[in-house]
Amino acid sequence: MNATTTGARRIGLPPQAARPRRPLGDPWLAGVAAAFTLAQLILVRPGLGLGWDETVYVSQVSGHAPAAFFSAPRARGVPLLVAPIASWSDSTALLRVYLAVLSGLALYFALRVWRAHVMPRVLPLAGVLFASLWVTLFYGPQAMPNYWVAVGALACVGCFLRARASTRDRAAWWGVFAGAALMAWMRPMDAVYVVLPLLALSLRRPRLLAALVAGLLAGAGEWVIEAYVGYGGLAQRLSDAARIQGGLGRHLAVVDQLRSLGGRTLCRPCAGSVPSPLVTLWWFALPLLAVLGTVAAVRARRALPLLLPLACAVTAAVPYLFFIGYAAPRFLLPAYALLALPVAHGLVYMVTAPARGIARTLAVSLVAAGLAGHLAVQYVVLERTVHRSAADRTDWSRTAAALHSLGVRSPCLLSGYEAVPIAFYTGCGSAQTAGHDTSTTAAELTRAAHRTPVAVLSPPGGRPPGDARTWPVERVGVLQAYVAPFVRWGR
């Protein structure tokens, strides 16, 4: 016992006092998040006007225009998210900057959760892979729910693994609750699909199961209550949501998703050709690299930290690939966020796997060339998407200016073709007599025209409903407007 241990080789972790203190945060992850925020501000640009769905969400809390009709599938998460800015300012640029900064912070904290589960080299790479996708960059600063479901899924699955490993990790338990609540707050049904593997794993762990269910209920509680208050009950709201989405059933939407990869924000109906193989190659490589990374983790006896996000990515993607009759690239953002972890692990494995000479050089060159090509393709598609979206929103703004010149100013009401976004730009309310956003009848629209300025929009050659066909027709941008003759203020 008195023998000296000088020169003896130590094994295991050094004493607590001798361990270097870990700096607050992670500089690599902070760098990825900061670059993601900066890329949004430079490439998407704060001046990009609000899109169709964005005007619906923002109008719920904005003083600029009356609230648009809120259809059954939508949830109140986004209006609450944008309320700190939209409730007092109508500046789109300020809202974009706010969301870009917030999305960068959310990505940073969602990635930090995984530090105990994946190699230090893998985590920043996973963040880069997800953050560099054109669809992630495009929707990060937008008032849309899909990105927030993605970071909520990333945080929830990571915290689930931490809580499963240590029941004393209180932050992890709260992370499970908060991640599930965030997803359900934004899109309740997406949250359910994401957590299916987590629910299955927690069946024998009542506390974990309770945290997950409590999070889902906390996030979706308002949506469920609203179903009974304004939609005829939960079953009716679910039925209406399915009908608006074209009816849930057997629909092979894989090819539709491929068509949307060229920069189509909504593919409905989804016709036309599939983009160039250069644009879609990454999409086919994604599952292959994810499987490679997972197999490598299984061999290293660290399977669960990569198998679980892979399983959650599959359950998140299946409804949008096989059960819905149209496509939008943003629908798969939660799957992309979760797949980024095993994909990054697969790429790191390709570069670091035991190999000699030309095999190692070939692997490194292949990964480097693939990543460079991937980033170039994502930038080209993003630029094209931003340009097309900006053109559409400029047309809406011009139409709004033309309506103002005709005396259609707040308080006013618009109906017809693209009335929802144009009404927001004009400062009017919107009401539709047909379609998914039906909220009035032709007779009610005519009665409203005796009290307030009303215009019914249609494309050239289109015909409005009911008595609006007899109203004077005016050219407003690329559209035509049937303006009610009874009340025309300010002209």
Side-chain angles (χ1 to χ4, degrees), residues 21 29 43-44 54 70 79-80 103 202 231 237 252 269 312 317 324-325 329 366 378 395 408 417 442 456-457 476:
R21 295 187 65 182
L29 297 184
L43 300 178
V44 182
E54 287 186 291
F70 209 71
L80 292 174
S103 63
S202 60
Y231 294 88
R237 185 169 194 177
L252 185 62
C312 291
I324 194 169
L366 181 64
Q378 298 304 310
D395 287 343
V408 182
Y417 184 74
V456 179
L457 305 174
V476 286

Side-chain angles (χ1 to χ4, degrees), residues 262-291:
R264 300 174 65 176
T265 55
L266 181 63
C267 202
R268 185 181 190 181
C270 207
S273 60
V274 174
S276 162
L278 289 175
V279 175
T280 59
L281 181 61
W282 70 272
W283 207 69
F284 291 103
L286 201 64
L288 298 178
L289 290 171
V291 170

Side-chain angles (χ1 to χ4, degrees), residues 317-413:
V318 162
Y320 293 112
L321 294 176
F322 302 106
F323 297 151
I324 194 169
Y326 64 101
R330 67 180 183 270
F331 292 161
L332 297 181
L333 273 172
Y336 296 151
L338 293 166
L339 285 175
L341 294 163
V343 167
H345 195 274
L347 291 173
V348 170
Y349 175 78
M350 289 177 63
V351 173
T352 60
R356 295 181 180 179
I358 192 171
R360 169 63 61 83
T361 303
L362 183 62
V364 173
S365 301
L366 181 64
V367 170
L371 289 175
H374 171 73
L375 292 176
V377 166
Q378 298 304 310
Y379 168 75
V380 170
V381 176
L382 176 64
E383 185 65 23
R384 184 187 308 160
T385 305
V386 170
H387 178 75
R388 186 186 303 117
S389 300
D392 291 340
R393 296 164 198 196
T394 299
D395 287 343
W396 294 339
S397 183
R398 288 173 180 167
T399 301
L403 287 168
H404 285 161
S405 69
L406 296 174
V408 182
R409 295 191 180 96
S410 178
C412 49
L413 183 67

Side-chain angles (χ1 to χ4, degrees), residues 4 7 52 116 170 206 278 301 362 418:
T4 178
W52 186 311
R170 294 184 179 180
L278 289 175
R301 297 182 180 180
L362 183 62
E418 294 189 337

